[in-house]
Amino acid sequence: QVQLQQWGAGLVKPSETLSLTCAVYGGSFTGYSWNWIRQPPGKGLEWIGEIDHSGSATYNPSLKSRLTISLDSSRSQVSLNLSSVTAADTAVYYCARAYVVAVPIIRLWGFDPWGQGTLVTVSS
Amino acid sequence: DIQMTQSPSSLAASVGDRVAITCRASQSISNYLNWYQQKPGKAPNLLIYAASSLKSGVPSRFSGSGSGTDFTLTISSLQPEDFATYYCQQTYSPPRTFGQGTKVEIK
């Protein structure tokens, strides 16, 4: 049973960088896409980006200029860095796994499992 | 970007009711459509993937249908634990967009 456990700073100052890590327990990286999703308080879900087992990342265009997603397969960890944050980046951030169905245009099945979520507040 | 539009945004229903939530994509996504259930303070939980495939362990009262641009999640007999918010999501192409959510409340 694959489990995802995430951690990172819960309070980040405006203009600084938000950093989160997601550890994968009990599963392989190969054949899967590793995703980050966020949810502002009281609002819906927004897909942030994904990375595959080879380290190839795809980002939401709305965040692309500030975003880096990386993978450390030796540690079974996926990381998210979002720079120059503002109050609009305040949200619960989740990591999640998806099975890659097709290439080269990557098509996925649903996101499962998910990490427990990390509330990140941007405030001075 | 592919836009996902759910309807209704909220609904009130009673235990035992049959409930249907629809999701429309702004372009064809074949069957790359997923449904999630989210309860307050919890991560979303995958219910249906590939438009109509039930995730293992999910009760059979949940079902999904559709292909192309129009999809439906049906709960055949609403149970007390089903009161939650439901989201559709396309995984046909990035960005992997979600619908705005449908909140199912107790009547």
Side-chain angles (χ1 to χ4, degrees):
Chain A
Q1 184 82 354
V2 175
Q3 292 187 339
L4 306 184
Q5 184 172 357
Q6 52 183 107
W7 65 86
L11 180 63
V12 182
K13 289 182 168 57
S15 79
E16 296 190 343
T17 296
L18 179 162
S19 295
L20 296 172
T21 300
C22 175
V24 180
Y25 297 101
S28 167
F29 271 23
T30 304
Y32 293 99
S33 162
W34 302 91
N35 293 262
W36 287 97
I37 305 97
R38 70 180 182 179
Q39 185 171 37
K43 296 189 177 180
L45 299 163
E46 178 183 28
W47 180 80
I48 297 171
E50 66 190 25
I51 192 165
D52 69 16
H53 69 274
S54 71
S56 176
T58 303
Y59 301 143
N60 190 321
S62 67
L63 298 168
K64 187 174 183 177
S65 63
R66 301 190 289 130
L67 186 60
T68 302
I69 296 176
S70 59
L71 179 151
D72 184 342
S73 55
S74 66
R75 294 187 174 187
S76 296
Q77 293 178 357
V78 180
S79 296
L80 166 74
N81 285 286
L82 183 65
S83 64
S84 305
V85 297
T86 70
D89 295 310
T90 294
V92 176
Y93 287 74
Y94 296 100
C95 57
R97 183 188 76 167
Y99 183 71
V100 177
V101 181
V103 292
I105 298 176
I106 297 175
R107 311 212 195 276
L108 310 174
W109 287 152
F111 290 5
D112 180 68
W114 293 59
Q116 79 276 19
T118 302
L119 173 61
V120 179
T121 301
V122 178
S123 175
S124 55
Chain B
D1 298 3
I2 299 173
Q3 307 303 317
M4 305 301 294
T5 304
Q6 282 181 240
S7 62
S9 296
S10 65
L11 65 90
S14 301
V15 173
D17 284 354
R18 183 181 182 89
V19 168
I21 300 169
T22 64
C23 181
R24 175 164 288 177
S26 60
Q27 65 184 74
S28 178
I29 56 171
S30 184
N31 68 332
Y32 291 92
L33 189 284
N34 312 296
W35 290 99
Y36 301 88
Q37 177 193 68
Q38 187 179 33
K39 296 183 178 179
K42 300 293 187 181
N45 179 42
L46 178 67
L47 299 175
I48 303 279
Y49 64 96
S52 60
S53 295
L54 193 68
K55 175 191 160 184
S56 177
V58 173
S60 59
R61 62 181 179 273
F62 292 93
S63 64
S65 64
S67 67
T69 60
D70 293 307
F71 303 87
T72 302
L73 172 70
T74 301
I75 309 172
S76 60
S77 177
L78 201 64
Q79 298 302 300
E81 61 267 31
D82 300 337
F83 292 96
T85 300
Y86 294 84
Y87 293 93
C88 64
Q89 180 209 21
Q90 64 83 16
T91 45
Y92 181 79
S93 66
R96 318 280 183 191
T97 40
F98 292 87
Q100 79 279 17
T102 296
K103 188 173 184 179
V104 177
E105 300 175 298
I106 301 172
K107 183 184 284 185

